[in-house]
Every structure is written in C-alpha cells, then in structure tokens.
Amino acid sequence: MASELQFCLKQWCAWLPPEWRLCSYHEWGLGRLLPGAEPDVSFLPLMQRRRLSPMARAVLAVAWPCLKGAGAIPTVCASLHGETHYCFPILNTLAEGADVSPTAFTLSVHGAAGALLSQFAGNRAPFVALAPGAEGYSAAVVEARGFLQAQAHEVLLLLYEQPLPLPYHTHAANPPGVMALAMKLGVAKDKGSLLQVKQDDKGEAGNEEDTLLKLIWALCQGNGAVNLPGRKSAWRWVLTG
Amino acid sequence: MDSLENDLKSLIIEVFSLDELKPDDIDSDAPLFGEGLGLDSIDALELGLALKNRFDIIITAETPEVRTIFSSVAHLADYIRRIQSS
C-alpha cells in the first residue's frame, strides 16, 4: 500500500558549492540558499569551528538559522555515507599499523555533525543520525514524523553529503560536492508551506545519485514536486503554498 | 623566543587546526587546557600522539606530573628538554 506523510515546512536553509547553484532565484517560502564560496560558520568561536570538516561546516551553517529562536527541537540527521573523509584515512592508518588520531576518530562517527550542532547550540532535545540506505531520505522523514507523533512541536531535518574518497567511486553514487539542507518541520495543520512525501507506485526506483541536489534545486526554484527514487520504491516530494 | 617553545606552538597550531593563530599569539606560560588556550580532553590525547610522532616521547595519563607537564608550553618544553638530556 502506498504511503504519504504530510508536514508543514516552516523554514529551510541550504548550502551548495557555487558551481552547483544553477537557479537564479534562491528563495522559496521561508528559506534560502546560502551565498559565498565556503559555508560561513564565523558565528562559532574558533575553538568550536576548528574541528569542523567541510561537510560539518555546511551542516552547522544551514542548521543555525533554523534553530534560532526554536528552543529545544528534536533533530533527524541523514547522510548516505557520513564522514567518509575521516573514516577512510583511519582505515589506512590502521592498515599501516600506526596510531589513530583521537580527534579524527571522534569526528568519524556518522552523527558527528549533528552531535557538534547539539553541543554548540545547547540543544538538549533528542537527535538521531541515519544512514538512510535503500529508501534514501524518505526514511528520514519517517523518523521526523515519529518525533512529531510523539508530541514534538517541531523537528529539524538535516540532510547532508560530500564527495566520497576515490576508492569508493566504483561502489557507490558519488555526491558531486559538499551539500547540506536543513528543514524545520511541523505538523501539516501548522502555518507554513505544505510538504507531502508520497510513495509513488507508478514511479521508477533508482539509485540515490544526486537526490539531495535535486531536492535543494526544487526548493530553490519553488517547483511543485520532485521525484526522489529509493532503491526499492519511488518517492515524490510535493511542495505547496 | 625559545626555539623549542616556538616549535611546540607551531605544532599546537598545526595539530589543532588553529590556522587563525600565530605562534606569538600563544603565551608560553598560559594554561593550555580549560582557561587560557581552551584545549579539551580529546586535545590532550591528540597532543600526546603528536609529541610521540614529533619527539618520540610518550606521555600518557599515567606519566608522573602529567598535569604539570601539559599545563603550559613552557612546562612542556622543560619536560622535553629533561627527557632528551637524560
């Protein structure tokens, strides 16, 4: 049976490398695509931002505006591959029999960016970090719905990717650049834009390549709908209002 | 400036990604952890690894007076000199 989840999209913020900002109109509803050559995390003290990877910098930059004034808000983080640029060198270090950097180890875990966000923002609400796998980011919205179902007033959904280390390129779709998207979601009856995520029986399943890029482009351009194929099902994200 | 202290400051900047600082910005006598430079417990482990790789000196939580050794660049330099001369 096909599934459909509905949310109120209250605010969004995204980061794409300049070369992937194909849309000229960068705002739709309560959101924006951040400008600049690099994600700006100057709002953090040096001792906090020094450890952030390029992807974590993008995550913090897009999440910060959505957390402003939100209080404690549950967070769902989803990345297909996570901090592979920390994980892969650690594997090489272990293969060489050398000592692993403690800092690299702490930053290599899948939820590192979300954990740093919680710590720096003082957000003590729960967060989960997903490697969403077969159904792509649609698995993350199921988690977001779960928080709302459990009486959370709002939930912050964070989707982020970065290019994979070269040895993985023949094994998985390679994201074309560092990218991140934050969406502050509420229940569908709240004031804001309507986001529907539908399992599409007629759509074609596919791989996860470029799905986050397509979603950010859709938000930038205010498109009505975008198809995000999972490996088993097709999902249709529809934006209204 | 003491060249070993200067080397240690450059190492700290490199290892802890403090690219916005110069060696002269770090006070040799200021605390490295907590107040002062503001390093934390993960940094202590990382500094131990960096000292092993750079000076072949092993400092662990069991090393006598480890808190004093890690308390400032000046104390760290003193300890390295003592080990290298013994």
Side-chain angles (χ1 to χ4, degrees):
Chain A
M1 189 176 78
S3 302
E4 175 175 338
L5 298 172
Q6 294 190 349
F7 301 90
C8 168
L9 176 56
K10 296 185 169 186
Q11 189 177 356
W12 65 269
C13 187
W15 166 262
L16 285 176
E19 64 270 28
W20 290 99
R21 294 174 201 154
L22 300 183
C23 41
S24 58
Y25 185 58
H26 291 163
E27 295 192 23
W28 180 82
L30 295 168
R32 64 192 290 246
L33 186 60
L34 295 175
E38 302 288 340
D40 180 8
V41 288
S42 59
F43 50 84
L44 294 172
L46 170 63
M47 296 306 283
Q48 291 184 347
R49 65 177 184 267
R50 67 193 167 107
R51 286 179 181 156
L52 298 175
S53 69
M55 185 172 73
R57 284 173 181 259
V59 171
L60 269 288
V62 301
W64 212 256
C66 293
L67 284 176
K68 192 174 182 180
I73 173 172
T75 305
V76 177
C77 299
S79 175
L80 296 171
H81 304 293
E83 289 284 9
T84 48
H85 287 274
Y86 282 114
C87 300
F88 191 71
I90 287 175
L91 293 175
N92 281 329
T93 302
L94 290 171
E96 293 165 1
D99 294 319
V100 171
S101 158
T103 304
F105 177 72
T106 63
L107 297 175
S108 69
V109 298
H110 197 75
L116 292 171
L117 173 67
S118 293
Q119 180 185 342
F120 297 163
N123 183 9
R124 294 178 179 271
F127 96 88
V128 295
L130 302 176
E135 294 309 305
Y137 302 119
S138 301
V141 298
V142 174
E143 289 290 330
R145 176 58 178 266
F147 276 122
L148 294 173
Q149 198 78 20
Q151 309 303 316
H153 179 56
E154 295 174 328
V155 59
L156 182 65
L157 180 61
L158 288 172
L159 313 177
Y160 45 94
E161 302 296 344
Q162 64 182 335
L164 292 168
L166 188 61
Y168 293 124
H169 288 192
T170 54
H171 301 286
N174 186 38
V178 170
M179 56 189 74
L181 170 64
M183 291 192 286
K184 188 160 67 178
L185 303 173
V187 295
K189 65 182 181 184
D190 288 351
K191 186 179 179 183
S193 303
L194 179 65
L195 170 65
Q196 297 163 281
V197 180
K198 306 175 180 180
Q199 201 172 15
D200 184 358
D201 288 340
K202 296 176 183 174
E204 291 186 5
N207 66 33
E208 72 272 25
E209 190 171 12
D210 295 347
T211 51
L212 183 53
L213 188 63
K214 286 165 63 178
L215 183 55
I216 294 174
W217 280 350
L219 284 165
C220 289
Q221 295 170 330
N223 279 356
V226 58
N227 293 316
L228 299 183
R231 290 189 198 123
K232 293 179 182 174
S233 307
W235 293 82
R236 190 166 177 80
W237 293 45
V238 182
L239 307 162
T240 313
Chain B
M1 183 191 294
D2 180 304
S3 67
L4 178 56
E5 289 185 8
N6 200 44
D7 287 350
L8 285 171
K9 291 175 184 179
S10 297
L11 180 69
I12 287 168
I13 289 170
E14 174 194 337
V15 168
F16 300 125
S17 303
L18 299 169
D19 306 340
E20 297 170 36
L21 296 184
K22 298 176 186 140
D24 287 348
D25 296 329
I26 300 175
D27 183 345
S28 293
D29 297 312
L32 287 172
F33 294 87
E35 297 297 319
L37 190 57
L39 301 180
D40 61 23
S41 56
I42 297 291
D43 295 323
L45 296 171
E46 195 72 44
L47 184 55
L49 180 61
L51 293 170
K52 179 187 171 194
N53 292 337
R54 179 69 62 92
F55 298 100
D56 200 23
I57 289 175
I58 296 176
I59 302 174
T60 70
E62 284 73 41
T63 301
E65 301 181 43
V66 63
R67 286 179 177 271
T68 304
I69 295 166
F70 272 7
S71 64
S72 68
V73 169
H75 279 108
L76 194 51
D78 284 344
Y79 179 75
I80 292 171
R81 279 193 210 96
R82 275 191 279 137
I83 293 294
Q84 288 178 333
S85 63
S86 63

